[in-house]
Amino acid sequence: MKEKQKTSHVFWTGGQDSTFRLLQLLLTTQDQVQPHYIVRHEGSTGNEIDTQNKIRRAAIEKHPELRTRFLPTIYTNEDLIPKYKDIDEEVERIRKKVKVHEQLQILARYCRAFDIEQIDLIYERDLVADEDKRVAHHFGVSSAFRSFTNPLVNMSKRDCYLVAKDKGWDDLLLLSSFCRRPKKKDKPCGICGPCSDVLENGMGFRLPLIARMKARIQLPFRQYYRKNYLNQNKGVFKWIKRKFESRL
């Protein structure tokens, strides 16, 4: 009897981290790869979906053998994902110690709703995000995040790029997007958090010159804000959160 082909699940945004993991699975294993994407009410959603389509077309054109293993992306509107009291309570418990993005809470609910036992969620692990790395320690351990795995936990963005370059698929990786509010022709803004992260993590060449200068100027402020996240409801941080949280 022919052995059933393994299917690997990955949350894919079209960003560099999740795209690296997607390509790694497609090009270094024989697994079927099932991408998942949560459609949220954010300005970057359309750009992310466009990016995914570009990467899919380019990958299959370059590697036609991927056509049967690169499964169609499952798109789910966030409004269709039910809430679970135990997951929300566990997330709130973790939030007392460390920042937990709302996106993680939604993804945890998604895994419960659609009975996903294991899925790769490539979460921040570079120097700029100590708080995020502390959250990632709960993956596979916390009851809320038990389905999440972060196989690139010991690799930086720069490491991933160098691996892709060595393997000959950096051209596909560089089709990925990262900016929350791209300008015309998909140019990175240099103002949002992900643009600053790209600069901080040794990938500044992906930013146009003006965007790179903007990101560099505001980087110390962003680092200070993130390190003091748990003080967000006090003093000046309360005002910053109300005015600028979507950009941080």
Side-chain angles (χ1 to χ4, degrees):
M1 181 181 295
K2 186 176 180 180
E3 186 176 348
K4 184 178 180 181
Q5 189 172 20
K6 178 183 176 182
T7 299
S8 291
H9 297 263
V10 58
F11 280 122
W12 185 34
T13 64
Q16 179 173 313
D17 293 340
S18 62
T19 296
F20 176 85
R21 181 53 178 167
L22 178 93
L23 294 172
Q24 187 181 50
L25 288 167
L26 287 169
L27 298 171
T28 67
T29 77
Q30 291 302 311
D31 295 359
Q32 287 187 322
V33 180
Q34 177 61 74
H36 298 255
Y37 182 81
I38 308 302
V39 180
R40 305 193 66 194
H41 308 295
E42 296 184 346
S44 60
T45 297
N47 184 60
E48 289 176 351
I49 293 175
D50 286 345
T51 297
Q52 292 169 28
N53 291 334
K54 291 176 185 176
I55 294 171
R56 181 181 290 273
R57 287 195 297 267
I60 292 176
E61 181 178 349
K62 186 176 181 180
H63 302 278
E65 70 278 7
L66 299 181
R67 190 180 300 274
T68 58
R69 293 197 296 111
F70 195 171
L71 301 179
T73 302
I74 296 174
Y75 293 97
T76 304
N77 190 304
E78 66 173 324
D79 294 335
L80 300 179
I81 303 172
K83 296 181 179 181
Y84 297 95
K85 183 179 179 181
D86 60 319
I87 288 179
D88 293 344
E89 288 178 347
E90 175 68 1
V91 170
E92 288 305 314
R93 183 188 68 79
I94 298 173
R95 277 198 176 115
K96 292 178 180 179
K97 300 179 180 179
V98 66
K99 176 180 179 179
V100 179
H101 293 283
E102 181 188 18
Q103 181 186 33
L104 286 183
Q105 192 169 0
I106 293 171
L107 296 179
R109 295 169 182 162
Y110 175 82
C111 289
R112 170 78 65 81
F114 295 94
D115 198 26
I116 298 174
E117 294 185 0
Q118 182 173 313
I119 188 167
D120 291 344
L121 172 58
I122 312 306
Y123 205 56
E124 185 62 68
R125 65 253 179 244
D126 288 305
L127 295 177
V128 71
D130 290 339
E131 289 292 316
D132 288 347
K133 288 194 292 185
R134 289 172 59 194
V135 172
H137 290 161
H138 293 276
F139 288 6
V141 178
S142 162
S143 59
F145 303 145
R146 65 179 182 81
S147 297
F148 299 163
T149 59
N150 189 6
L152 306 184
V153 66
N154 294 316
M155 296 181 68
S156 68
K157 284 180 170 63
R158 182 73 180 175
D159 292 336
C160 292
Y161 168 70
L162 292 176
V163 168
K165 188 174 182 180
D166 180 65
K167 299 294 185 182
W169 30 275
D170 54 310
D171 56 331
L172 298 175
L173 184 64
L174 292 178
L175 292 175
S176 61
S177 63
F178 51 87
C179 181
R180 283 205 186 115
R181 288 175 297 280
K183 304 297 184 181
K184 292 181 180 179
K185 297 183 180 180
D186 299 331
K187 298 292 185 181
C189 68
I191 297 175
C192 67
C195 281
S196 294
D197 293 346
V198 164
L199 178 67
E200 175 72 0
N201 296 320
M203 297 293 291
F205 67 87
R206 297 201 64 186
L207 292 168
L209 178 60
I210 299 300
R212 198 181 316 161
M213 293 172 61
K214 292 178 180 178
R216 188 172 297 281
I217 289 171
Q218 65 177 333
L219 188 57
F221 167 76
R222 287 191 181 280
Q223 292 173 328
Y224 183 77
Y225 176 84
R226 286 169 171 173
K227 287 181 180 179
N228 290 275
Y229 179 81
L230 293 181
N231 295 321
Q232 61 174 280
N233 292 317
K234 301 177 183 178
V236 68
F237 288 105
K238 185 175 181 179
W239 179 83
I240 291 172
K241 180 184 178 184
R242 185 173 65 251
K243 294 291 185 180
F244 302 107
E245 186 172 42
S246 63
R247 299 185 179 185
L248 294 168

